[in-house]
Amino acid sequence: AQSVAQPEDQVNVAEGNPLTVKCTYSVSGNPYLFWYVQYPNRGLQFLLKYITGDNLVKGSYGFEAEFNKSQTSFHLKKPSALVSDSALYFCAFVGERDDKIIFGKGTRLHILP
Amino acid sequence: DTGVSQNPRHKITKRGQNVTFRCDPISEHNRLYWYRQTLGQGPEFLTYFQNEAQLEKSRLLSDRFSAERPKGSFSTLEIQRTEQGDSAMYLCASSSTGNSGNTIYFGEGSWLTVV
């Protein structure tokens, strides 16, 4: 079955340090890959997506992600973390011939002051 | 663009009662999705519409769950004879059609607590 995996339940990073939230995918064909963020008791906010083209995708709030086909990964990155980045992050995909978005289980990001 | 709107934001109900949630999508979006999210998990796809047509409903959790979008605008999700296991956040989302890579935008969710 097609899926995305987020291997870390939680990531802790000191404020000002670079952060990475990992995502790997198992999707046939050319996947459309997404990152969403969820703050406590809120809905999901779109951060960025990879459809085609440049492997490095830039998104909201200074986040970026790199599509790596050989490693089937789409890790989320930010050069300098802020305390306000603390939230739940979801990697997701839409299959090439599908219409619905399927989510990973999420990674909780803690930015330590 | 006022975003995806969901009502009510919170609902507490007794086991066995019926509940209905409403979703108003972004106005020009003709696709509408329903998801369920329990604590510590990612959103789980339930069903979706293109205009008024329900294109997939096999993921609805049981026959107690039903969704409608009668005029292709707002949608309702009804849960009949609620059970404690139905306690979760129910998320609505919308997108435009034409490309599977179109961004899907979510509402703030409707929290259901069954006591």
Side-chain angles (χ1 to χ4, degrees), chain B residues 38-55:
Chain B
T38 53
L39 282 174
Q41 299 297 317
E44 175 187 11
F45 171 78
L46 296 179
T47 187
Y48 83 108
F49 296 83
Q50 180 161 314
N51 300 314
E52 64 275 9
Q54 191 171 13
L55 298 186

Side-chain angles (χ1 to χ4, degrees), chain B residues 5 7 109:
Chain B
S5 177
N7 289 287

